[in-house]
Every structure is written in structure tokens, then in C-alpha cells.
Amino acid sequence: MTYPQDLREKTPLWDSNYPIRFYRNRSRMAKKDDTILNLHWHEHFEIIDMRAGKAQFHIDSRPYEASAGDLLFVPAGALHVGYNASDEDVEFVAVVFNASLLRMLHPDPVFERYMLPFLDGRAQLPAKLSASDELGAPFRRLIRESTDEFEQQAAAYELVIKHNFHLLFALLSRQFLPEKFVDKPAPLRHSESFKPLIQHIEAHLAEPLSVEQAARMVNLNPYHFCKTFKKLTGRTFVDFVNWLRINEADRLLRETEWTVTEIAERIGCGNANYFTKLYKKYKSYPPSEVRRRLLST
């Protein structure tokens, strides 16, 4: 279903390597039926972790009562809104993340069998897990540990969160993935053919490679190539190449004394201004900031 663009939430620019945010929402002095989550939708997944109070959330027009300890899973693209269900204060954590957080750089048949069905929409998670349901305990623990990591931001917190969410979806798959996906996993005929392409891209980052050229390398037409590539990696082909280039540029900024212009040429972005714009898009700060931080340590 397609919803109006004016209800689409404009997600803040985030680090493309760790596309996840934790929003702690508190409604003090809220009255019954007050809106605690405005009507919106976005292309990302969302998990609502109720911490206090009672609320009613509508997910794609279906109402769900929620109280402390309940978990709600909002599919990507689902319209959702929340209201206070009492005159008490309400608190919940909204975890918003993109499927690319969990995608594998190189196609993995186990990943494709157990996790990909949830990420590409072929399988749906339960809309709600109640606090009284013992099945929800390990999922709640992982989500709350990740929330603490995000808020405290100790060293390597990003890796801990990413690890927790891989484990979270592995356990969700074990519990809720329909047997038809386990018994008859999606065909993997394209996965192996994409591995040499990805290796080629990594080894020749500075060389231009069009969608048409890449499609020919895996014997697909451009339309099916783009569709399959995004399904396997969670990114468009152009986004994936740019992401690899910026990651390599980040390494060179930290480990070499090359100028920004030299690094831009090294990764195939001959125009230093375009490189700076692209780097800022993926990292949320300019390349000069990396050198400045290194000098200040």
C-alpha cells in the first residue's frame, strides 16, 4: 500500500554504516487519548519498546494495546500512530533502523534463508509481543541492551548494537519464520554470481563501472540486476559503490598523509568538491574533520 508523501517521516541523516536510531519518548502530564506518536510512515523498520504507562498504537489501521514491557514491531512502510490510553505518564523507546544494518556485504545462503524473508517483506514479524509472554524476554533484553549502548556510546557501541540486532533477528527467525521459508528457501542462483562482481568492485574502486557493465558481468538485464542487487545487499548499485569508496577514503584519511584531492582521485572521485559532498553524505561530517580530530588527539 502507498501512503501520502506528506505523512512520510523525514529520517535524519545517519551514518550509512550503522543506520539505526533510538528515540526515547516521554509524555509528561499526558491525558487519555492525547497523541504520543504522530501519524507517519517511513521506509525503515521500527520497534516500539513500552517502558511505562499504557497506550494504543495503530499499525496499518489495526489497533494494539500496549503497556510496560510490551514490544511492537512496525514493518517498513507501515502507517502508524500512537495515543495515550490513560491519564498516566507514558514512556517508550522507538528503535528505527534500515534493513541495510543487517545485510551481508557478501551474499550468505544462511542469511538469505533465515533473515532475508523478514527484510524483503516476504515474511512478517508478529505485530506485538506482550510483557507476559515469556517468548519476548530475550528480544526485550537485546533491545534494551542496545538502547543503553546507544545512549552511553562507549567505545565500539556500534559494533555491539549491530551484533545484538543480528542475534535479535536470528532468534526472531528461529521463533517466527514460517516453515515454508525454512523448508523451501528462496533460490540462491544469483548469489554466487554476484560474489566475483563485488570482489571486482572492491579491487577496482577507482575505475568507473556502469550499471549496464555490472549487469553484463552477472548475465542479467539492468532492470533485474538492480532489483536483485538491492535485494542481496540492501543498497542500490550506485549507493553500494559509493559506500565502498567512502569507507576506503575514510581509511586513507586516517592512515596516510595524502591530501583530500589525492584521496579523491585514488577512489575514483576526481573532483575534490564532489568527493567532499559525497563523504559528508555518508559520514555526516566533511573529510577535513577527520584530520582535525586526529591532530587533536
Side-chain angles (χ1 to χ4, degrees):
M1 182 179 294
T2 301
Y3 291 113
Q5 287 297 313
D6 58 351
L7 293 178
R8 180 176 182 176
E9 184 178 65
K10 294 178 176 61
T11 306
L13 184 66
W14 51 21
D15 186 343
S16 62
N17 293 306
Y18 297 96
I20 184 169
R21 287 291 182 272
F22 296 75
Y23 301 99
R24 188 178 291 273
N25 298 273
R26 296 185 178 94
S27 297
R28 306 297 189 194
M29 306 297 291
K31 299 298 183 181
K32 185 177 181 181
D33 298 327
D34 283 356
T35 301
I36 58 172
L37 183 66
N38 291 324
L39 181 66
H40 70 287
W41 68 274
H42 42 66
E43 61 187 14
H44 314 296
F45 290 87
E46 184 169 337
I47 300 174
I48 296 173
D49 174 16
M50 283 293 294
R51 297 296 184 95
K54 297 179 181 180
Q56 183 178 81
F57 292 93
H58 292 251
I59 302 173
D60 275 341
S61 300
R62 295 185 178 182
Y64 298 93
E65 299 289 341
S67 55
D70 291 348
L71 297 175
L72 290 94
F73 296 89
V74 182
L79 194 66
H80 51 293
V81 64
Y83 305 99
N84 194 0
S86 70
D87 290 328
E88 302 174 1
D89 293 347
V90 177
E91 181 177 349
F92 64 93
V93 175
V95 187
V96 182
F97 61 98
N98 192 276
S100 60
L101 175 77
L102 304 173
R103 303 279 183 174
M104 308 297 289
L105 180 60
H106 295 281
D108 179 341
V110 177
F111 168 86
E112 291 183 14
R113 184 170 190 170
Y114 292 102
M115 295 178 68
L116 190 58
F118 289 124
L119 302 183
D120 64 16
R122 287 180 291 128
Q124 294 293 328
L125 292 167
K128 175 184 173 182
L129 283 176
S130 298
S132 58
D133 190 341
E134 293 183 0
L135 291 176
F139 311 135
R140 190 179 303 105
R141 177 181 59 79
L142 287 168
I143 292 167
R144 294 192 173 184
E145 284 182 0
S146 298
T147 302
D148 291 342
E149 287 286 341
F150 184 83
E151 292 179 342
Q152 296 168 12
Q153 298 198 1
Y157 75 94
E158 302 97 331
L159 295 179
V160 175
I161 292 172
K162 195 166 188 177
H163 164 79
N164 281 354
F165 269 70
H166 272 102
L167 179 55
L168 173 67
F169 269 76
L171 294 177
L172 286 168
S173 174
R174 177 180 289 176
Q175 191 66 48
F176 299 110
L177 185 65
E179 290 185 5
K180 64 180 180 179
F181 294 107
V182 177
D183 296 337
K184 296 180 180 179
L188 305 180
R189 58 190 178 91
H190 293 308
S191 299
E192 291 301 319
S193 64
F194 271 71
K195 289 181 180 179
L197 170 63
I198 293 173
Q199 291 169 347
H200 174 85
I201 296 170
E202 292 174 328
H204 303 86
L205 279 178
E207 299 178 10
L209 183 66
S210 68
V211 170
E212 291 74 17
Q213 291 171 321
R216 285 196 295 269
M217 292 177 66
V218 293
N219 298 314
L220 290 174
N221 65 49
Y223 172 78
H224 285 99
F225 168 78
C226 291
K227 188 175 181 180
T228 305
F229 192 92
K230 187 170 184 179
K231 184 176 180 180
L232 291 174
T233 66
R235 300 175 184 270
T236 65
F237 174 72
V238 173
D239 180 44
F240 183 82
V241 173
N242 286 336
W243 175 65
L244 288 179
R245 285 174 170 171
I246 294 305
N247 282 343
E248 174 63 9
D250 188 66
R251 184 187 69 80
L252 295 173
L253 284 166
R254 298 173 189 278
E255 298 180 6
T256 75
E257 295 182 357
W258 294 343
T259 66
V260 168
T261 299
E262 290 171 331
I263 292 174
E265 293 175 351
R266 183 86 176 186
I267 66 166
C269 295
N271 185 310
N273 289 332
Y274 171 70
F275 165 69
T276 298
K277 183 178 180 180
L278 192 65
Y279 187 95
K280 191 173 181 179
K281 173 185 175 182
Y282 283 86
K283 297 296 185 181
S284 302
Y285 49 83
S288 58
E289 180 68 12
V290 178
R291 293 282 169 81
R292 189 192 69 79
R293 292 178 182 180
L294 288 173
L295 290 173
S296 64
T297 58

